[in-house]
Amino acid sequence: MIINRKILTLDEFTIQQLRQFPSATGELSSLLRDIGLAAKRINVEVNKAGLVDILGDAGSVNVQGEDVKKLDIYANNQLMGVLKHGISCAGIGSEELDDVVVFDDEVSNNSKYVVLFDPLDGSGNIDVNISIGTIFGVYRRISELGKPCTKEDFLQPGNRQVAAGYVVYGSSTMLVYATRRGVNGFTLDPAIGEFCLSHPDIKCPPSGRIYSVNHGNFFQYDEGVKSYITACQKKDKTNGGPYTQRYIGSMVADVHRNLIKGGIFMYPGTIDKPKGKLRLMYECNPFAFITEVAGGKATNGKERVLDIQPTELHQRSAYFVGSKDMMEELESHYKK
Ligand code: P6P
C-alpha cells in the first residue's frame, strides 16, 4: 500500500532517496539530516538576534546567565558539533576557523565525507534584520579510510562535490541542497520543527531580468563587467526595458532569489582586490554546484568555478553565477 504523503520532511526525503539506491550506505543522507538539525538550532538563535539587547550582546552574560556568543561562532559550533558526533564526516573546514578540524576518532576516521561551510554568511546584516545564511559543500575523502582525514581532502576542485546546499534565514527559513540528481528546497515548518519539501526539483530559469552587483564599485570593475552592467541598464523596450538591480548585501538571499526567479549575481574582482571578496571553497563552489545542477552557470570571469584547483583553504575568487543566458551574455561582453 502506498501511503499518500503530501508533505515530505527532509528526513523522509533523504530516506526516500536512499531507498532508491539500495547499495548506498546512507552516510550522505545522515550527513544532510545532521546539517538540517544544526540549521534548526541556528534558526532559533538567529530569530532571537533582534532581542540581543535584552538577552545581552555577544561576549556578555545573558539573563539566563549563559555566555552570549557571536552568532557566527554559535553557528560554527552547532555545525561542527552535529558533524563531529554524526557517523558521516571525518572533518570540517569553516570560514570561522583558520585551519581545517580533523575529528580523528574511530568513527570519524571511517567516515567517507568532509564538509566545508560558511556558518553564517552576511552576519553583519543580523542587527538590521536582513536575511542571512549558511552555506556548505560536501566532498568524498581522497585520503585513506580508517585514518584521520588530511588537508588534501579539503583542497579538491568544486567539481568533486557530492552535495552542496544552503540555509536562508529569511521571511521563512529554507534549506536547499543539491546532489547530482537535482536541487530540492525545504521550508521549516515551526509548528512541527521540521524542514518540509516545498520546492521540489528546482530549475534555474534560463534567463531573467535581475542583476545583483555592488554598484558602488562600478568604476573599479574591468571593462567587460562595466560593459555588461551598462547593457543591463540600457535594455530597450523591444526586450522588456532595463533590468532590475537587486543587491541586499547577503549573498545567500541574493543567489537564492535569482535561482528561483532567474537572474545573475556578480562579485567581480576590482582594481584593489583582483580576486574579489568571496571565498572559493565555502561560498563560490557550493553555489556553483547548486546552480549548475539547476541548469545555470558559474565562472570567475575566465573559467568554470568548479574547475578551479584550490591551493588555499580561504582563497578568494571573482564570482559570477546565475541564469545560463545571462551568464553567456556577460561572457560575450568579456570577449569584446
Ligand atoms: P559588499 C557578506 O559579507 C558577503 O560575504 C556576501 O554575503 C555579500 O553578497 C557580500 O559579502 C557583500 O559584500 O562588499 O558588496 O558589501
Side-chain angles (χ1 to χ4, degrees):
M1 175 182 75
I2 296 176
I3 301 168
N4 174 23
R5 300 303 310 249
K6 282 203 179 62
I7 299 284
L8 278 181
T9 67
L10 174 64
D11 290 9
E12 289 170 320
F13 182 85
T14 54
I15 290 165
Q16 186 185 71
Q17 297 290 302
L18 176 59
R19 287 166 65 96
Q20 290 172 18
F21 290 93
S23 59
T25 63
E27 279 190 68
L28 182 59
S29 298
S30 171
L31 185 147
L32 292 165
R33 290 197 297 275
D34 291 344
I35 291 175
L37 173 59
K40 287 191 272 191
R41 289 175 173 159
I42 294 166
N43 180 61
V44 169
E45 293 308 311
V46 165
N47 286 346
K48 281 191 301 194
L51 295 171
V52 164
D53 294 345
I54 300 171
L55 299 177
D57 206 343
S60 65
V61 173
N62 66 21
V63 291
Q64 289 85 358
E66 299 154 346
D67 287 342
V68 177
K69 292 191 185 309
K70 278 175 57 116
L71 271 180
D72 37 19
I73 299 298
Y74 175 84
N76 180 77
N77 295 348
Q78 287 304 315
L79 282 159
M80 196 159 60
V82 296
L83 291 169
K84 180 173 175 54
H85 301 303
I87 58 162
S88 315
C89 183
I92 60 103
S94 169
E95 195 261 353
E96 291 297 327
L97 303 172
D98 290 344
D99 204 352
V100 300
V101 176
V102 177
F103 292 152
D104 194 9
D105 59 69
E106 191 180 346
V107 172
S108 301
N109 289 349
N110 282 292
S111 298
K112 273 196 300 200
Y113 301 110
V114 294
V115 181
L116 286 142
F117 54 75
D118 183 352
L120 209 56
D121 180 71
S123 51
N125 291 309
I126 290 172
D127 49 6
V128 290
N129 213 18
I130 287 175
S131 303
I132 52 181
T134 296
I135 314 166
F136 64 90
V138 183
Y139 293 78
R140 188 173 284 103
R141 293 173 62 172
I142 51 179
S143 57
E144 186 183 341
L145 276 182
K147 294 183 177 173
C149 61
T150 65
K151 190 71 171 280
E152 288 63 39
D153 290 321
F154 296 89
L155 294 179
Q156 301 181 59
N159 58 35
R160 299 291 298 274
Q161 288 175 108
V162 293
Y166 60 90
V167 183
V168 52
Y169 308 97
S171 47
S172 65
T173 296
M174 268 192 77
L175 184 150
V176 177
Y177 82 85
T179 62
R180 295 197 182 287
R181 290 162 48 83
V183 185
N184 290 281
F186 302 79
T187 300
L188 183 63
D189 178 348
I192 58 172
E194 293 287 357
F195 282 105
C196 298
L197 183 64
S198 54
H199 296 68
D201 196 22
I202 295 174
K203 296 294 183 201
C204 182
S207 195
R209 308 185 58 75
I210 297 171
Y211 71 101
S212 306
V213 70
N214 183 335
H215 263 280
N217 298 328
F218 181 86
F219 292 105
Q220 285 217 42
Y221 296 144
D222 66 30
E223 291 310 313
V225 173
K226 287 192 287 191
S227 171
Y228 175 69
I229 292 174
T230 304
C232 289
Q233 297 168 309
K234 284 187 169 178
K235 296 288 178 187
D236 59 34
K237 295 215 183 316
T238 58
N239 45 34
Y243 287 175
T244 295
Q245 203 263 347
R246 286 283 182 274
Y247 187 77
I248 73 165
S250 192
M251 173 184 178
V252 176
D254 279 322
V255 179
H256 173 70
R257 180 201 53 241
N258 294 352
L259 181 69
I260 304 293
K261 294 191 167 186
I264 185 170
F265 175 92
M266 300 177 274
Y267 205 105
T270 60
I271 298 164
D272 297 345
K273 298 177 183 171
K275 289 270 187 187
K277 171 183 183 182
L278 301 180
R279 308 285 186 171
L280 173 65
M281 295 312 293
Y282 40 77
E283 291 175 330
C284 301
N285 272 335
F287 275 118
F289 181 85
I290 295 161
T291 302
E292 286 201 6
V293 172
K297 295 183 79 171
T299 73
N300 63 359
K302 297 181 178 62
E303 64 179 303
R304 184 175 173 242
V305 164
L306 294 180
D307 291 339
I308 297 173
Q309 175 55 55
T311 53
E312 293 164 35
L313 186 62
H314 299 291
Q315 70 185 70
R316 300 177 194 270
S317 172
Y319 197 50
F320 305 86
V321 61
S323 294
K324 181 175 175 295
D325 296 353
M326 299 179 84
M327 286 291 295
E328 288 172 358
E329 185 181 351
L330 166 68
E331 287 154 18
S332 71
H333 284 263
Y334 259 111
K335 293 190 177 95
K336 281 179 183 171

